[in-house]
Amino acid sequence: MSRAHVDHRAIARFAEERVNLPRDKADEYRAQARRLREKLETYLDEHPNFTLRRMMLSGSLAKGTALRTLNDIDVAVYISGSDAPHDVKQLLEYLAERLRKAFPNFSPDQVKPQTYSVTVSFKGTGLDVDVVPVLYAGDSAWRGNLVSQEDGSFLETSIPLHLEFIRKRKRAQETHFAQVARLLKFWARRMKQEREGFRFKSFMVELILAHLTDQGQDLSDYPDAMQAFFTYIARSNLRQRIVFTDHYPVSDVGKCFDVVQIFDPINPTNNVAKLYTAEQADAIVDAALDAGDAIDAALSAPTKELTVRYWQKVLGSTFQG
Ligand SMILES: Nc1ncnc2c1ncn2[C@@H]1O[C@H](COP(=O)(O)OP(=O)(O)OP(=O)(O)O)[C@@H](O)[C@H]1O
Ligand SMILES: [Mg+2]
């Protein structure tokens, strides 16, 4: 493939400048989450029977896959005790009431239940913290019932084991795994803006990329790595089951008729893609075909101008080569 006009380094530079959350911002937001966690820990020291057991950074800030467009800090709060409601709406009210107790310096309107989470907003600087409840019964690996941000159902899973799962792939391909994940999330975000009804959640993007990594795909050349991801989606039609054996054997995944099947590495009964319809899967396949074609065209285009124009189909018009 020709790299004369736009090469790996051009994509890497674009990622640094336009895609990635800058390190100082990431550090600032992580510190913000840490201060909130420490507040809770202080409260717990004085109230050992308090039912909010732990606060944990989750989501892209914890995984090191956050985009520049990050708009909230994801945090999971572990709730134990038999008096915690199991109805989501009531659980969120309960969580908000408890958070107000633990953070008396916050005014009540700074702690607001949303559809499937509670936001804690800060006066002045910083992002809102999005607190997602996990019903927790004491598991040592912090397995618990996480409230799905898609439909409010309870998902039995473990945030720290997810973080370890991603860390393992990041170690296998230092800097490249996280960078390619961010480039692909950036692409998916653009598709959501451009194409009506398009959805492709970040965790699915990361799990597909982890699958390719596990199969030996080298991610050190970003045009090749992105092309490999799009090619996988096009070839599999997104209808090939993906299962990881970090925590259970493949045979633990039972019969399943969901259109897209990407199983939670922690729980063989949790299909992360279960809500995706055939139409939505087809839309992802179409978008991946278009992106793959654009990269192919870019790599054989005769002029710099044309090459850049093809890359813009994948990365948007802010890409200037
Ligand atoms: N269906 C699911 N089953 C189990 N865990 C899930 C599921 N969806 C999300 N999670 C957990 O929530 C975390 C955050 O979700 P997701 O990866 O979609 O968002 P993110 O990494 O914060 O990305 P974004 O940049 O889009 O906010 C995941 O890393 C995973 O631990
Ligand atoms: Mg997030």
Side-chain angles (χ1 to χ4, degrees), residues 78 134-137 139 141-145 156-158 161 247 266:
Y78 287 76
V134 182
L135 287 177
Y136 171 70
D139 181 83
W142 296 91
R143 282 191 188 79
N145 284 303
E156 195 190 318
T157 196
S158 163
L161 291 179
H247 294 279
I266 312 309

Side-chain angles (χ1 to χ4, degrees), residues 9-273:
R9 283 178 323 204
I11 306 298
R13 204 179 328 116
F14 176 76
E16 280 295 335
E17 288 168 5
R18 301 278 178 167
V19 174
N20 302 349
L21 181 70
R23 178 174 292 276
D24 58 329
K25 284 281 160 200
D27 289 345
E28 178 189 327
Y29 300 143
R30 287 193 194 105
Q32 197 188 337
R34 189 174 59 243
R35 284 193 297 275
L36 207 58
R37 192 191 71 215
E38 285 166 357
K39 263 192 220 297
L40 177 62
E41 284 166 1
T42 306
Y43 189 85
L44 269 166
D45 285 341
E46 288 153 19
H47 306 82
N49 293 322
F50 194 57
T51 53
L52 305 189
R53 303 306 307 165
R54 187 176 176 182
M55 186 176 267
M56 215 184 270
L57 188 65
S58 67
S60 57
L61 260 185
K63 290 180 286 187
T65 52
L67 301 187
R68 213 181 176 83
T69 48
L70 180 78
N71 52 24
D72 46 30
I73 301 170
D74 299 316
V75 148
V77 163
Y78 287 76
I79 306 173
S80 71
S82 47
D83 57 335
H86 285 55
D87 167 82
V88 173
K89 197 167 166 10
Q90 285 168 25
L91 179 63
L92 293 169
E93 293 291 346
Y94 172 91
L95 173 59
E97 176 256 323
R98 293 278 140 146
L99 289 169
R100 289 184 189 122
K101 219 171 229 151
F103 308 142
N105 298 341
F106 285 73
S107 66
D109 65 309
Q110 283 177 282
V111 181
K112 278 204 199 95
Q114 310 291 339
T115 322
Y116 302 126
S117 63
V118 173
T119 52
V120 176
S121 37
F122 289 73
K123 298 212 167 91
T125 57
L127 291 177
D128 285 0
V129 173
D130 203 27
V131 182
V132 177
V134 182
L135 287 177
Y136 171 70
D139 181 83
S140 60
W142 296 91
R143 282 191 188 79
N145 284 303
L146 170 78
V147 170
S148 161
Q149 296 305 290
E150 287 175 290
D151 67 354
S153 61
F154 287 98
L155 307 169
E156 195 190 318
T157 196
S158 163
I159 300 284
L161 291 179
H162 283 164
L163 298 181
E164 176 50 32
F165 174 91
I166 297 292
R167 232 177 276 131
K168 190 171 163 194
R169 274 71 193 179
K170 285 172 76 174
R171 277 197 301 270
Q173 302 214 36
E174 205 82 48
T175 78
H176 304 313
F177 180 85
Q179 187 58 82
V180 175
R182 294 201 263 200
L183 282 162
L184 293 168
K185 282 173 60 177
F186 184 83
W187 163 78
R189 191 172 178 279
R190 286 194 51 250
M191 291 301 107
K192 280 172 214 161
Q193 290 166 343
E194 279 180 5
R195 301 184 178 200
E196 174 96 16
F198 187 89
R199 64 192 299 221
F200 197 178
K201 78 187 250 132
S202 298
F203 199 35
M204 284 167 58
V205 171
E206 290 172 357
L207 290 176
I208 293 171
L209 191 62
H211 172 70
L212 295 178
T213 301
D214 291 359
Q215 298 211 314
Q217 176 64 48
D218 178 19
L219 304 178
S220 63
D221 179 273
Y222 298 160
D224 276 350
M226 293 176 77
Q227 186 63 295
F229 179 88
F230 296 132
T231 302
Y232 170 81
I233 290 183
R235 290 226 178 103
S236 67
N237 202 29
L238 215 51
R239 264 75 167 180
Q240 260 168 31
R241 174 182 284 189
I242 293 178
V243 183
F244 299 92
T245 53
D246 299 50
H247 294 279
Y248 54 80
V250 172
S251 58
D252 276 11
V253 177
K255 262 207 172 62
C256 174
F257 299 102
D258 296 340
V259 178
V260 185
Q261 301 185 21
I262 304 172
F263 284 88
D264 184 343
I266 312 309
N267 174 357
T269 67
N270 177 29
N271 174 17
V272 172

